[in-house]
Amino acid sequence: VVACGYWLANSTPDFYAAALKQPINAAEMTAATEEFERITDSLEMYLKMDSVQFERFQKMSPEQFDALANNLPNKRQHLSNALRSVHRSPDITRETFACTIAERHLNAWLEQEVSKSDGELRQPHLSLADDKIRFAVTLQTPAGDLVLSCEFVVTKTHQTNLTFQLHGVSVGKI
């Protein structure tokens, strides 16, 4: 039992150990973060539209669309390709809009958010595999760096609802 406890306290989840070995490419992280922001801006804009506004949006001329994109209240003034594809696409309805948020988007965003604070958290990493979300982060303590990790199992309970069930939590060392 003591040996098992020692092993667990000194172990790092495989997905996190592999992520820590990968070099961080600042340009790729910046590009992924900017893309993620464009996707979330577009999704926010889409969710705020009712059916009438959505129909008007789809009927905009390219010039009107560009004017809208350039007058967004945020500083980025860009719309993602996901929302651009909705514009003037008769196959897409108010109920069928879709966008893809990838692991690289989430990890870049997490890294950006963690780096904003002067706290003890470092190197967040999220892994999406099958029906699982695994997350780990390094916690800097006076006694040494600890790895905090958790795993969730994701279940689709309805067409638009997901359930996240906590499947495991661990603390270990790098």
Side-chain angles (χ1 to χ4, degrees):
V1 173
V2 172
C4 182
Y6 176 80
W7 178 81
L8 286 172
N10 288 295
S11 67
T12 300
D14 292 341
F15 80 95
Y16 191 61
L20 292 178
K21 290 178 185 174
Q22 298 296 321
I24 295 175
N25 182 320
E28 286 178 12
M29 293 287 278
T30 299
T33 301
E34 289 172 357
E35 187 177 349
F36 180 69
E37 289 171 346
R38 284 191 301 273
I39 291 168
T40 56
D41 287 347
S42 298
L43 185 58
E44 179 182 5
M45 185 176 175
Y46 170 78
L47 292 172
K48 288 180 178 178
M49 285 190 252
D50 62 25
S51 296
V52 173
Q53 291 169 323
F54 184 77
E55 283 182 35
R56 280 191 214 135
F57 173 75
Q58 281 193 312
K59 292 177 182 176
M60 284 181 177
S61 70
E63 294 78 21
Q64 290 171 315
F65 181 86
D66 289 339
L68 171 69
N70 291 328
N71 290 317
L72 287 176
N74 62 42
K75 305 250 186 295
R76 290 182 289 279
Q77 296 185 351
H78 295 289
L79 296 173
S80 75
N81 291 335
L83 196 55
R84 287 187 186 279
S85 70
V86 172
H87 180 243
R88 304 182 59 82
S89 297
D91 297 337
I92 299 175
T93 67
R94 178 73 177 96
E95 289 77 32
T96 60
F97 177 74
C99 63
T100 300
I101 299 174
E103 220 175 87
R104 66 186 174 82
H105 297 126
L106 296 171
N107 283 315
W109 177 78
L110 284 168
E111 183 64 39
Q112 179 186 44
E113 292 300 306
V114 166
S115 69
K116 288 179 184 176
S117 72
D118 292 331
E120 296 83 22
L121 296 179
R122 302 282 182 267
Q123 299 173 299
H125 186 75
L126 182 100
S127 171
L128 306 173
D130 302 319
D131 61 348
K132 292 182 183 152
I133 298 174
R134 298 180 298 176
F135 175 75
V137 66
T138 299
L139 173 66
Q140 293 180 324
T141 71
D145 290 351
L146 296 176
V147 175
L148 310 175
S149 64
C150 61
E151 183 175 291
F152 294 91
V153 174
V154 181
T155 308
K156 188 174 181 180
T157 56
H158 185 266
Q159 183 176 357
T160 58
N161 296 344
L162 298 175
T163 299
F164 297 85
Q165 181 180 21
L166 183 61
H167 196 261
V169 176
S170 67
V171 177
K173 281 191 165 190
I174 292 180

